[in-house]
Amino acid sequence: MKLPEFLTTLSPVGETLSSVAAGEAFLLDAVASKNAQVCVNTATDALSLWEADYGLQDRSGGNAERRRLDIRIAMAGGRTLTPAYLAELAATLGGADSAEITEDFANFRVFLNVIANNRVPEDTAALERALARLKPAHLSIEVTPVGAMTGTQPRFSTLHGGIFMEFRA
């Protein structure tokens, strides 16, 4: 509400309105700060409460991003590691554009290729930590970051890169 200037220049009214505006700004900041604690991705002070809710160890003072990741892993728990769920985890935690899953039922192994288009996936450590926590004890999951490179020049039909050999025991 906008009051006329002659009224806001009066001594008690002007000071009252300015203090109300300052109180409103303080209240808006406090509400925004509290609302940020409701979501795991923006929580800072409430991470201990999130950890307690999911039965995790309270690691106050630790790395906030790692704590958030552990909370999100605990939130996702209880689902069966199907190929679709593995691909979803590769996208959300491993930064993949797609995933390729190969199952070796006889040896209780799964090979998960985290595929990124025109780049190599930056870090799969978070994905590997999540899989170590979610997988059954008898299953081993091997994560391999893969960069799917495509050429943009019509003259050059082949991309060249380093070749590596992997020996499996």
Side-chain angles (χ1 to χ4, degrees):
M1 172 174 81
K2 180 84 173 150
L3 295 175
E5 186 177 344
F6 73 88
L7 189 58
T8 59
T9 57
L10 293 175
S11 177
V13 176
E15 289 89 1
T16 303
L17 290 175
S18 65
S19 68
V20 166
E24 180 185 15
F26 176 77
L27 186 60
L28 288 174
D29 288 342
V31 167
S33 174
K34 287 295 181 186
N35 285 343
Q37 304 307 310
V38 175
C39 182
V40 174
N41 294 336
T42 56
T44 53
D45 301 333
L47 285 176
S48 296
L49 297 174
W50 282 99
E51 288 169 335
D53 283 347
Y54 285 96
L56 300 172
Q57 177 185 359
D58 184 0
R59 294 189 323 232
S60 297
N63 183 348
E65 285 305 315
R66 189 173 178 134
R67 292 173 70 193
R68 286 186 184 103
L69 175 66
D70 288 341
I71 293 167
R72 284 195 304 257
I73 291 169
M75 291 170 81
R79 289 175 59 185
T80 304
L81 287 177
T82 62
Y85 185 43
L86 283 172
E88 180 184 328
L89 286 173
T92 57
L93 298 177
D97 295 319
S98 62
E100 183 180 277
I101 295 107
T102 306
E103 299 171 305
D104 180 7
F105 291 108
N107 296 314
F108 301 105
R109 293 191 318 192
V110 174
F111 303 100
L112 173 61
N113 291 336
V114 179
I115 303 170
N117 296 332
N118 293 320
R119 61 184 172 82
V120 177
E122 296 173 10
D123 187 19
T124 59
L127 174 63
E128 292 173 20
R129 284 186 50 235
L131 292 175
R133 180 179 170 110
L134 296 174
K135 73 177 183 68
H138 69 282
L139 188 65
S140 75
I141 301 175
E142 295 182 28
V143 177
T144 306
V146 176
M149 305 297 180
T150 55
T152 57
Q153 298 291 331
R155 290 189 312 181
F156 306 107
S157 60
T158 307
L159 287 174
H160 295 280
I163 298 173
F164 70 93
M165 187 176 295
E166 183 175 332
F167 295 98
R168 298 177 194 251

